[in-house]
């Protein structure tokens, strides 16, 4: 496993390229780039961000998918085409960044409440997205999000059955918010897991930086090791959770220590990019 940080941690503090320029100071192995708006969905902007990263590899991109992903299976042919064009812009930016994974929220409602489960509509969307991603050497990492479609481990298993080549991004805070055990998601996603987002929370569910809450990261890393996962574990906190820069450094150091302890107990060395 490799330890990463999302530029989304600084959304509202710095612009995307500025966040990228600071990425080397946190001691992480890789970065997830949060593309914040339409003007950032271009290869030229992506190349600017890649230079700003200063050698820190970008493993994944996460656009504002609520802007266009629903339109991929919209009722209007023009809407579907516009959404596909926007998707291709984002994927072109991801390719320019050297990313392998596009983090996808998938179908959702404007009210940010769960939709009735519709595997066929999901399969249609993932088919379109997967086809375009593959042309650019990327995969779609369908993320569990409590107000979208992928809300439970049971739905993950159904998705894997319907779409054998599907890939997933696990977000442990979204699992908690859906009332599910993140470890159950790991087991359900299995070899389809390609990306992991981590945060932390206390006994009341209040979010915080990893190491400041009650979540059992040893159990998470042990289960990831058991399924043979060697991909990114990306710290993805909201800006309001970072009281100061040293708190983020301590959080990264905490995760690094837990990853190494679990790897040592399993007799495996952490894999570096």
């Amino acid at each position: 496993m490799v330890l990463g940080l999302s530029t989304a941690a600084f959304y509202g503090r710095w612009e995307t390229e500025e966040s990228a320029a600071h990425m080397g100071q946190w001691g992480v192995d890789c970065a997830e780039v949060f593309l914040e708006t339409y003007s950032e969905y271009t290869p030229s902007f992506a190349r600017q961000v890649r230079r700003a990263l200063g050698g820190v590899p970008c493993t994944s991109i996460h656009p504002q998918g609520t802007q266009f992903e629903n339109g991929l299976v919209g009722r209007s042919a023009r809407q579907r085409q516009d959404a596909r064009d926007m998707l291709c812009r984002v994927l072109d930016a991801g390719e320019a960044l050297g990313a392998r994974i596009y983090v996808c929220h998938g179908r959702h409602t404007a009210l940010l409440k769960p939709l009735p489960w519709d595997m066929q509509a999901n399969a249609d969307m993932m088919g379109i997205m997967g086809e375009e991603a593959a042309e650019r050497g990327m995969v779609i990492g369908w993320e569990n999000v409590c107000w979208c479609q992928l809300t439970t481990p049971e739905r993950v298993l159904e998705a894997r059955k319907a779409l054998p080549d599907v890939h997933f991004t696990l977000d442990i805070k979204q699992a908690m918010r859906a009332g599910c055990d993140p470890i159950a998601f790991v087991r359900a996603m299995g070899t389809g897991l390609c990306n992991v987002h981590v945060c932390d929370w206390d006994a009341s569910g209040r979010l915080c930086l990893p190491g400041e809450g009650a979540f059992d990261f040893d159990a998470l890393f042990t289960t990831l090791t058991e399924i043979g996962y060697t991909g990114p574990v990306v710290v993805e906190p909201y800006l309001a959770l970072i009281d100061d820069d040293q708190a983020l450094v301590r959080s990264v150091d905490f995760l690094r220590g837990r990853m190494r302890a679990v790897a040592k107990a399993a007799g495996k060395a952490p894999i570096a990019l």
Side-chain angles (χ1 to χ4, degrees), residues 66-67 102 115 159 177 257 268 270:
T66 51
Q67 295 170 332
Y102 169 114
L115 278 172
R177 285 177 164 176
K268 297 182 179 181

Side-chain angles (χ1 to χ4, degrees), residues 25 62 95 160 171 188 210 235-236 247:
Q25 76 185 63
H62 194 337
E95 184 179 25
R160 291 189 71 187
D171 188 313
V235 184
E236 192 200 37

